[in-house]
Structure formats: structure tokens, C-alpha cells
């Protein structure tokens, strides 16, 4: 069980090695207990291990006397929204998200549709690490199926965009769902929006034709098809469709942070307000917000930090540079499906091809490195940098961020691997690379 990764945000591991049904039963029971043995919804993405883990989660919850709602296979944002809609006490999402096929994970949802806050996650682990008594035969919980999560999500998305205007454009769209849960909803959304859809990898069988992380290097097939079909745009999801990456009409995959940049520009144009993102997201977002006189607030890395601050501050949009856009009108959850609808409305409104819209965004270059190093070594780096820089050039929100006129570099201990992550951004690739090397030199000193 050594390499099972357990953190307040959930549990993940390699199926059959670290993540086995027994672990899922116990986690489900711990979560049922945390939610006071209430009603719990359970859903999953399409991975081949999901059936096994869904039944394990049912078993754990039923043994505690919980009522269980089986949502079946759905995208993570559909499950989060359904938890809120059904007014149940919580939800369990079984998804390995963008990780390779051998991985799977559990994420836990609060009654308001957000993931557990870190302090609740800590409580969950405390319960998990202690014996949890189970109920007698006459108090075992009940289970029923509810297959309306996708319809509910679609309805909500269609309410926030101008469907008729988009329909008139008759967009030609190619969608790559990586045979994940997005295959069950995004083609329906595109049909509703009057698009002519070419489906690529839209069989929801969990057999991934390429790595499920929607980064440009994994989207060669989608790029080719967009170009060959002369489509207006291409979209790619990860396995649970909370993320979205865009391919331009020229068949070029845009870097994943463009999804947040484009949707933010569209939203701020409609209604000005606060934008929230994490400390590692591109500074291009600040520039986009400044075009409208708006502010960007940054949080620690982790979607719960972004969602919870957005809710607290009433932000109009937020998300992460990985293609995870959070639209408060729908839910405080990363939602790759809703992002499709917003982007099509943006294209409709601007009446320009997506490559032209992308070209007008501020250009930055990001370099990401990881170094094998311990967290003790990280403390030394922190001390050294404190001695070298004045306060206003350093941020300790999450790790250390050094800000210079030309860009920034962020050094942080990974929460999931025994490495230190170094991310640098500047106006040129050379400058970003120089920043990263500067930081690496200090780490190794
Ligand atoms: Mg995901």
C-alpha cells in the first residue's frame, strides 16, 4: 500500500497494486461517516476499473446505513452539479482524470457541489484511520439509480448561453473525448448548439487511444482531422471532462492555458468582475483582466483553493491554466463542457476564426522543470531567497515565487511526487529558460 497517494483532496493509486476495492470500501465508509450517514451520490468516468470501484463505494456506504444514489458514468462536473441539485449530503467521484489508464482515484464532494475543503479532508483521513462500526442487517442502506445528471448539466449550460445565436453559425466542430465521460455529454451539447460534429474517440469505453491529458502533444489526431475536415474548431477533454483544450481552424492545438484566457476575455466583456486563479497560471491572465480594468487574485495550487475563493469573493470567472475553467453561473467546479458553450458563443459574438482570437492574446512563454529533491532542501532554498530579495519581490503563498520585471519563477515541493517543481514564465522562451536555470542553480547550491 506504500505508493497509495492519500491527501485531504482525495486518494489515488495504481489499480490492483495500491488502489484496490478494500481501500475504496473503507474510504467510502469514512466519507459516509463524515457526512453523518446521509444520502450520498456516486458517479464515475469511463475507466475499466470504475465498475469495480463503484460497487465497492456502494458497499462501503450501504454498510454504514447510507442511502446511495447511483449516477452511473458521468463527467466530474456533472456529478458535482447533481450533488447540489439532488440536495444530497455529498458525492463520491471515481475518476483518474487526466492520469494514465492504470490509475484511478476518489474525490469527495460537499453538499454545495464543491470538493471537500482541506480541513474537511483532514477530518476524513482521521475517520479513515480509525475503526468505523457498521450497522446490523436491519439498518443497511438502500440504493437507487438516477440517470439524469447529464440532462441536468446540459440544461444548466444551455441557460447561460445564447443558444439561438450560436445555432445560426452552424459551426463545424471536431470533438476528441479520449473515450472518456465527455463522450456522453459534449456531442449532445454541440447538437443542441446546431453544430455539425465529427466525433473522434467518443466511445465511452475507458480505452484511451492516447494519453488522456489534453495537452497539445497528445492531440495530433484531432489537429489532423480539424484541418482535413476544414472545421471551425476542435475540442479535447481529459477522461472526466473537467478540462478542455482548443484546436484552431488551422489544425493547431493551443496551449491549455488559452482556454481560460479566451473564456475570461469573453466573460469580462459581458460583465466585469473579479478573476481567481492559482499562483502558477500565466500572467497573460492579468493582462486580459487589465484590458477591462479587472483584478486577478491568486490562490495556492489545487482547484478547491480557486473554487472556494471564487465563491467567497463573488468572482465572475476563474480556473486553472490546465484547461480547467470555473463558471460560477453553473457551479464552482472546473467544467470543460460549459467551456465549449462559452467559447462557441465567443466565436459567434466576435465573428472571427479562433486562431485570430488567440493571436490577440498576450504572449508569454512558460518552462516547467522538476528536480529530485527533498522538502528539507526546499526550506534551505526559502531561507536563502529571503536573504537575497526584498519582500515585494517574493511571494510565499504556495512555495516561493520570485517576481522580476521580465517575468517570474515559482519553486514548490510537489504534493504528489518526491520532486521540487520549477515553473518560469517570461515574454520570450529564452528568458523563461534563463529564469528556470537561475532557480535550479539556487536549488542545487
Ligand atoms: Mg480531469
Amino acid at each position: 500500500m506504500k505508493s497509495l497517494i492519500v491527501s485531504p483532496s482525495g486518494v489515488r493509486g495504481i489499480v490492483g497494486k495500491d488502489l484496490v476495492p478494500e481501500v475504496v470500501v473503507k474510504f467510502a465508509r469514512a466519507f459516509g461517516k463524515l457526512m453523518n450517514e446521509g444520502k450520498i451520490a456516486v458517479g464515475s468516468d469511463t475507466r475499466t476499473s470504475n465498475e469495480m470501484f463503484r460497487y465497492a463505494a456502494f458497499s462501503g456506504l450501504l454498510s454504514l446505513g447510507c442511502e446511495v444514489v447511483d449516477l452511473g458514468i458521468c463527467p466530474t462536473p456533472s456529478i458535482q452539479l447533481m450533488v447540489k441539485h439532488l440536495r444530497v449530503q455529498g458525492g463520491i467521484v471515481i475518476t483518474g482524470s487526466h492520469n494514465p489508464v492504470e490509475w484511478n482515484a476518489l474525490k469527495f464532494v460537499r453538499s454545495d457541489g464543491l470538493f471537500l475543503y482541506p480541513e474537511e479532508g483532514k477530518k476524513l483521513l482521521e475517520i479513515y484511520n480509525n475503526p468505523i462500526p457498521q450497522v446490523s442487517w436491519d439498518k443497511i442502506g438502500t440504493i437507487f439509480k438516477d440517470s439524469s445528471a447529464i440532462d441536468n448539466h446540459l440544461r444548466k449550460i444551455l441557460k447561460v448561453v445564447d443558444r439561438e445565436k450560436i445555432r445560426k453559425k452552424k459551426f463545424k466542430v471536431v470533438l476528441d473525448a479520449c473515450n472518456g465521460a465527455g463522450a456522453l455529454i459534449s456531442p449532445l451539447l454541440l447538437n443542441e448548439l446546431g453544430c455539425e460534429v465529427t466525433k473522434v474517440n467518443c466511445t465511452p469505453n475507458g480505452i484511451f487511444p492516447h494519453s488522456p491529458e489534453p495537452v497539445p502533444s497528445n492531440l495530433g489526431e484531432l489537429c489532423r482531422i480539424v484541418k482535413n475536415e476544414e472545421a471551425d474548431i476542435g475540442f479535447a477533454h481529459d477522461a472526466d471532462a473537467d478540462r478542455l483544450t482548443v484546436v484552431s481552424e488551422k489544425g493547431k492545438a493551443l496551449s491549455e492555458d488559452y482556454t481560460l484566457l479566451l473564456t475570461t476575455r469573453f466573460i469580462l466583456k459581458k460583465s466585469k468582475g473579479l478573476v481567481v486563479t492559482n499562483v502558477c497560471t500565466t500572467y497573460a491572465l492579468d493582462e486580459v483582466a487589465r484590458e477591462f480594468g479587472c483584478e486577478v487574485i491568486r490562490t495556492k495550487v489545487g482547484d478547491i483553493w480557486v473554487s472556494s475563493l471564487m465563491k467567497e469573493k463573488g468572482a465572475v470567472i476563474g480556473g486553472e491554466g490546465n484547461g480547467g475553467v470555473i463558471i460560477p453561473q453553473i457551479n464552482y467546479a472546473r467544467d470543460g463542457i460549459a467551456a465549449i458553450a462559452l467559447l462557441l458563443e465567443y466565436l459567434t459574438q466576435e465573428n472571427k476564426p479562433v486562431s485570430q482570437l488567440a493571436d490577440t492574446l498576450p504572449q508569454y512563454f512558460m518552462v516547467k522543470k522538476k528536480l529530485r529533491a527533498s522538502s528539507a532542501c526546499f526550506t534551505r532554498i526559502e531561507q536563502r531567497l529571503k536573504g537575497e530579495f526584498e519582500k515585494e519581490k517574493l511571494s510565499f503563498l504556495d512555495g516561493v515565487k520570485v517576481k522580476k520585471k521580465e517575468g517570474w519563477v515559482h519553486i514548490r515541493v510537489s504534493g504528489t511526487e518526491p520532486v521540487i517543481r520549477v515553473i518560469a514564465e517570461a515574454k520570450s522562451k529564452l528568458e523563461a529558460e534563463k529564469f528556470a536555470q537561475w532557480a535550479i542553480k539556487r536549488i542545487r547550491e
Side-chain angles (χ1 to χ4, degrees):
M1 297 278 162
K2 263 190 197 157
S3 51
L4 192 72
I5 301 163
V6 178
S7 73
S9 68
V11 54
R12 61 196 189 99
I14 293 176
V15 177
K17 184 170 176 270
D18 314 304
L19 192 64
V20 292
E22 290 82 343
V23 171
V24 175
V25 171
K26 203 172 165 202
F27 258 105
R29 295 178 67 213
F31 182 65
K33 189 88 196 150
L34 182 75
M35 296 291 132
N36 302 314
E37 293 95 5
K39 209 179 201 178
I40 308 291
V42 180
S44 66
D45 73 24
T46 58
R47 275 161 209 265
T48 51
S49 53
N50 275 335
E51 199 85 326
M52 173 173 83
F53 289 141
R54 238 186 18 252
Y55 282 92
F58 295 159
S59 176
L61 291 166
L62 293 171
S63 73
L64 206 67
C66 294
E67 266 191 86
V68 180
V69 187
D70 174 11
L71 300 180
I73 294 176
C74 334
T76 297
S78 310
I79 299 169
Q80 288 180 265
L81 191 63
M82 197 60 178
V83 166
K84 199 165 128 185
H85 177 74
L86 291 174
R87 298 191 176 159
V88 292
Q89 271 68 49
I92 299 179
V93 182
I94 303 165
T95 175
S97 187
H98 59 279
N99 290 297
V101 68
E102 63 273 23
W103 285 81
N104 212 333
L106 301 182
K107 292 194 91 174
F108 302 98
V109 183
R110 297 154 36 117
S111 59
D112 60 0
L114 272 74
F115 288 121
L116 286 187
Y117 281 28
E119 61 272 25
E120 293 162 329
K122 279 183 198 150
K123 245 188 237 168
L124 175 74
L125 293 185
E126 260 173 52
I127 301 173
Y128 177 82
N129 288 318
N130 284 292
I132 309 165
Q134 39 188 315
V135 298
S136 58
W137 67 272
D138 54 337
K139 295 192 177 66
I140 293 167
T142 50
I143 182 163
F144 63 93
K145 275 189 193 301
D146 187 323
S147 49
S148 62
I150 282 176
D151 275 354
N152 175 59
H153 193 182
L154 271 181
R155 265 200 317 274
K156 192 99 185 177
I157 294 172
L158 290 168
K159 267 190 203 157
V160 305
V161 289
D162 191 332
R163 184 190 336 196
E164 289 316 312
K165 261 194 188 159
I166 301 171
R167 284 184 74 89
K168 282 188 192 139
K169 297 292 284 185
K170 295 189 172 67
F171 286 117
K172 215 171 161 186
V173 177
V174 187
L175 171 75
D176 181 350
C178 199
N179 293 341
L184 294 169
I185 181 167
S186 294
L188 300 177
L189 173 71
L190 291 165
N191 285 335
E192 287 288 337
L193 296 174
C195 301
E196 185 190 320
V197 189
T198 302
K199 295 193 278 182
V200 182
N201 306 319
C202 281
T203 309
N205 59 11
I207 297 164
F208 304 147
H210 54 74
S211 158
E213 183 155 32
V215 292
S217 56
N218 292 328
L219 305 179
E221 186 187 12
L222 176 63
C223 291
R224 271 193 305 281
I225 297 173
V226 167
K227 208 168 173 199
N228 291 346
E229 304 255 322
E230 295 181 354
D232 296 298
I233 195 165
F235 292 118
H237 286 307
D238 65 336
D240 65 329
D242 60 342
R243 287 168 61 174
L244 181 78
T245 300
V246 174
V247 171
S248 80
E249 81 288 354
K250 292 183 173 166
K252 182 178 178 261
L254 305 180
S255 151
E256 337 56 291
D257 48 12
Y258 276 56
T259 313
L260 182 59
L261 296 175
L262 290 166
T263 47
T264 299
R265 198 179 246 177
F266 171 62
I267 290 286
L268 294 183
K269 215 166 183 177
K270 282 209 296 190
S271 55
K272 288 181 185 170
L274 190 67
V275 181
V276 177
T277 192
N278 71 39
V279 73
C280 292
T281 304
T282 172
Y283 267 22
L285 189 66
D286 300 66
E287 285 196 32
V288 167
R290 264 201 300 274
E291 288 169 21
F292 304 92
C294 297
E295 192 195 348
V296 175
I297 303 189
R298 289 175 182 264
T299 69
K300 287 184 184 184
V301 176
D303 53 359
I304 185 56
W305 298 109
V306 179
S307 323
S308 54
L309 196 70
M310 282 180 71
K311 194 173 182 185
E312 190 193 317
K313 302 273 182 191
V316 291
I317 191 161
E320 299 175 343
N322 59 10
V325 179
I326 301 171
I327 303 137
Q329 288 160 287
I330 295 171
N331 196 10
Y332 290 96
R334 290 189 305 201
D335 190 337
I337 305 122
I340 289 181
L342 290 193
L343 287 169
L344 290 178
E345 192 175 1
Y346 187 31
L347 287 187
T348 305
Q349 179 188 289
E350 299 294 317
N351 202 24
K352 282 178 190 158
V354 67
S355 65
Q356 271 186 35
L357 296 178
D359 284 347
T360 60
L361 288 168
Q363 298 292 311
Y364 278 87
F365 292 86
M366 213 182 256
V367 172
K368 296 180 184 181
K369 311 262 180 198
K370 50 184 179 182
L371 301 174
R372 294 230 153 247
S374 69
S375 45
C377 155
F378 183 76
T379 315
R380 283 200 306 277
I381 301 162
E382 245 182 350
Q383 292 307 327
R384 203 176 303 138
L385 290 172
K386 268 184 193 168
E388 253 179 78
F389 288 90
E390 314 108 66
K391 263 190 199 152
E392 61 272 19
K393 297 229 171 97
L394 288 176
S395 158
F396 297 98
L397 183 63
D398 192 357
V400 191
K401 189 170 182 176
V402 182
K403 292 173 259 182
K404 291 190 173 188
K405 206 169 82 218
E406 313 87 322
W408 54 270
V409 60
H410 184 234
I411 310 161
R412 161 177 177 267
V413 178
S414 165
T416 54
E417 289 176 81
V419 297
I420 288 184
R421 295 190 193 280
V422 176
I423 304 178
E425 188 180 55
K427 280 282 188 186
S428 78
K429 204 172 177 180
L430 189 72
E431 201 67 44
E433 190 66 48
K434 260 205 249 167
F435 265 161
Q437 292 309 331
W438 173 87
I440 290 168
K441 203 173 152 220
R442 259 149 191 82
I443 294 168
R444 289 200 170 127
E445 263 169 15

